[in-house]
Amino acid sequence: MSEQQIDPRDEPAPFGAVVLLTVASAVAVMAVTSLLNEPPGLKLLMLGPIALVVFEVVVHEVWWQRWWGALPGAVLGLTLYFEGREALGDLIGDSWAHPIAYVAAWALFAVVFALASRYPRTLSA
């Protein structure tokens, strides 16, 4: 009897850790930018969560063909950010709309990325 070998490339990104840490880093970025007197640049807003997702991919050795989830995650996250910020701005004001939409967008990105990392699977015999 031979035990079926598990291909390490079939290990998905850890869902809870990726989502929780991405959201936590987005909250941290919002906290730091609230301390700045001038509005943050795009590079600062993208730095924390992107660095965290790259770290998770490298540490957990997610197969490169599973990174495809970053593209639909980015599209959905950006859509949520711009549409959500506008809708929230009408409801609660611009000062809270930006941070809430920012964190929600990164949360959606992380969820899509983590779920997409489960496919495709390798063809093990």
Side-chain angles (χ1 to χ4, degrees):
M1 273 197 271
S2 69
E3 292 184 27
Q4 189 177 26
Q5 295 283 336
I6 296 175
D7 192 332
R9 296 176 297 175
D10 282 333
E11 292 298 317
F15 183 82
V18 168
V19 173
L20 181 64
L21 293 174
T22 302
V23 169
S25 68
V27 168
V29 167
M30 281 291 99
V32 168
T33 58
S34 70
L35 300 174
L36 301 174
N37 289 336
E38 52 189 64
L42 184 61
K43 289 180 182 179
L44 180 61
L45 291 176
M46 302 293 278
L47 178 64
I50 287 178
L52 181 67
V53 170
V54 169
F55 173 77
E56 286 295 322
V57 167
V58 170
V59 168
H60 294 286
E61 299 177 15
V62 176
W63 188 25
W64 70 269
Q65 288 186 351
R66 301 221 187 152
W67 296 3
W68 67 270
L71 186 59
V75 169
L76 290 172
L78 286 171
T79 302
L80 176 67
Y81 173 73
F82 289 114
E83 296 297 325
R85 185 179 70 179
E86 187 175 320
L88 284 171
D90 294 340
L91 294 173
I92 60 175
D94 289 332
S95 62
W96 282 98
H98 169 66
I100 292 172
Y102 176 80
V103 172
W106 277 110
L108 180 60
F109 169 81
V111 166
V112 171
F113 177 79
L115 290 175
S117 75
R118 282 138 173 82
Y119 306 100
R121 295 185 97 44
T122 59
L123 299 174
S124 301

